[in-house]
Amino acid sequence: MVTGLQSMTEKTTDIAQPIEHNAFRKLSIQVSLNGLSFCVLDTITNKILAFEKVTFTVPSTPYLMLKELKAKLNQQGNIGRNFSEVVVIHKNNMFGLVPKPLFNKEELPNYLKFNAKIMANDLVAYDELPNQDIVNVYIPYTNINNYIFELFGEFEFKHSGTVLISTLMSQSRTIPEPTCYVQVSGKEMEMMVASDKRLLFYNQFEYKTKEDFLYFLLFSLEQLQIDLEKVQLKLFGSIEEGDPIFELCHQYIKNVSVFVPANTAFPLEELENESIDFSILSSL
C-alpha cells in the first residue's frame, strides 16, 4: 500500500540568488500527475539560473502533487517571493482542441464532457492558439493555482499543449511535408502532426513499453492517412539515436531523427547536458 507520494529528483541546481536579483527573475513551474519541473530565468542576462525536475515513481493525485510542490518550494528558502513573472504549465490529458469559429466560452464544460470527468467545482479554462484559429479548452489544477496565487500573487497559467503547439508550429512554417513531432518522457508521449503550416493533430498518451509507443504513433498516423514513406518523424525529449524506441520507430518509418527544438529567447549552449522539459523552457 502506498501511503505517500514517492518521488525522485532527477536534476537539482541551487536556485538561491542574492535578494536584489529576485525582481528580475522569472519562475516557470510545470505540474503533472507524473512529476514537477521548476526553471528560473534571469530576465536581464537571459540565462537559466536553476532547474529541478521531480519524477513521481507512482501515479499521483492533485492533493499529493500539491503537497510535493509545497515541500519543494519550502526547501528552497531563498527562492524568493519577488519574481517579475511566474508561469504555471498544467500538463494533463483533460483538454480538447476546438475550432475558433465554433468556440463559445459559455459552453466550456461541454467541450470536455466526452473525454474528461468534470467535477462540479472544476474550473474549465482555455488558451487561444496564435495563428491557428484553435482554442485549447482544459481543466487546470485549481488547488495548484490557488497555492501559487497565495504565494506569489498574480501569475500566468496555460496548458502544456498550448506551449508545445505554439512553439513547434512557429518552427515548422517552412516545412511543407507532413511532420510528426513527439516529445518523449519515461511515461508519456506528446504527439503533434503538422503539414503545410496547418496543425493536423495533437494528443498525449501514456505508455509502458516501446511497443505501446509504436502503437499510438502508427495508429494516429493511420487515422490521419499519413504516408509513412513521406512523413518526417522528429523525436525529442528523453531520447537519443540508438535508443530502443528510436530503433523500433525506424523499422516502420523511413525518416526518423532526433529533433533539437530551436529557441532564440536565450542561449542554449550551456544546456546541452541538461534534461529540461521543452514546454517549461519554451514558456520562459
Side-chain angles (χ1 to χ4, degrees):
M1 176 180 295
V2 178
T3 57
L5 181 61
Q6 301 178 10
S7 62
M8 177 178 62
T9 300
E10 295 188 350
K11 176 66 181 178
T12 305
T13 56
D14 182 12
I15 57 180
Q17 296 290 326
I19 191 67
E20 61 266 24
H21 294 309
N22 282 359
F24 306 104
R25 296 190 299 162
K26 181 175 181 178
L27 172 65
S28 183
I29 306 171
Q30 180 169 277
V31 295
S32 79
L33 297 183
N34 288 320
L36 306 170
S37 295
F38 308 85
C39 199
V40 179
L41 173 73
D42 186 313
T43 58
I44 294 179
T45 63
N46 270 347
K47 290 185 177 180
I48 300 295
L49 299 178
F51 173 73
E52 182 172 353
K53 182 176 182 180
V54 179
T55 300
F56 302 151
T57 56
V58 295
S60 182
T61 66
Y63 170 78
L64 292 174
M65 180 173 60
L66 176 59
K67 185 177 179 180
E68 182 74 9
L69 176 63
K70 288 181 177 180
K72 287 299 174 184
L73 291 179
N74 289 336
Q75 282 178 10
Q76 306 291 347
N78 234 0
I79 188 172
R81 302 289 178 90
N82 300 316
F83 288 97
S84 57
E85 296 178 72
V86 176
V87 179
V88 176
I89 304 167
H90 296 268
K91 186 175 183 180
N92 59 40
N93 58 7
M94 299 181 293
F95 71 92
L97 300 181
V98 181
K100 196 170 184 178
L102 304 178
F103 176 73
N104 182 346
K105 64 181 181 180
E106 304 299 326
E107 300 290 338
L108 294 181
N110 290 327
Y111 297 123
L112 300 178
K113 63 184 181 181
F114 296 114
N115 63 346
K117 185 177 181 180
I118 303 176
M119 310 299 290
N121 60 343
D122 278 340
L123 167 71
V124 183
Y126 66 92
D127 302 327
E128 295 189 18
L129 297 175
N131 304 316
Q132 290 299 313
D133 282 333
I134 294 174
V135 179
N136 186 5
V137 181
Y138 63 99
I139 301 176
Y141 297 110
T142 305
N143 61 336
I144 299 294
N145 280 355
N146 290 341
Y147 173 67
I148 295 299
F149 181 78
E150 292 175 4
L151 201 60
F152 299 113
E154 291 188 6
F155 69 99
E156 180 185 7
F157 69 92
K158 59 185 72 175
H159 191 264
S160 62
T162 303
V163 178
L164 186 140
I165 294 170
S166 300
T167 305
L168 290 181
M169 288 303 299
S170 68
Q171 297 182 22
S172 62
R173 291 175 182 172
T174 59
I175 304 176
E177 65 269 13
T179 305
C180 176
Y181 300 91
V182 184
Q183 178 168 222
V184 185
S185 70
K187 299 178 181 178
E188 300 169 302
M189 55 188 291
E190 280 187 274
M191 178 177 171
M192 190 194 93
V193 181
S195 180
D196 196 23
K197 304 178 184 180
R198 293 190 306 115
L199 174 68
L200 301 182
F201 179 84
Y202 169 80
N203 209 345
Q204 300 178 8
F205 305 100
E206 291 194 4
Y207 69 94
K208 294 182 179 179
T209 68
K210 62 181 185 297
E211 289 78 17
D212 294 338
F213 185 101
L214 181 68
Y215 170 79
F216 290 128
L217 174 64
L218 295 184
F219 181 79
S220 299
L221 293 176
E222 180 185 25
Q223 296 303 303
L224 294 169
Q225 298 182 340
I226 300 292
D227 189 342
L228 299 185
E229 292 291 322
K230 296 181 180 180
V231 67
Q232 299 280 336
L233 175 60
K234 297 181 179 292
L235 305 173
F236 63 101
S238 300
I239 192 165
E240 297 178 352
E241 287 190 23
D243 286 352
I245 286 178
F246 182 96
E247 293 300 322
L248 183 60
C249 290
H250 206 4
Q251 294 178 23
Y252 294 85
I253 298 177
K254 179 180 179 181
N255 301 304
V256 184
S257 62
V258 172
F259 174 61
V260 179
N263 192 312
T264 58
F266 42 83
L268 299 180
E269 292 83 1
E270 68 270 22
L271 303 178
E272 290 179 355
N273 296 321
E274 303 283 353
S275 179
I276 298 184
D277 299 271
F278 172 72
S279 297
I280 199 171
L281 195 61
S282 299
S283 69
L284 292 172

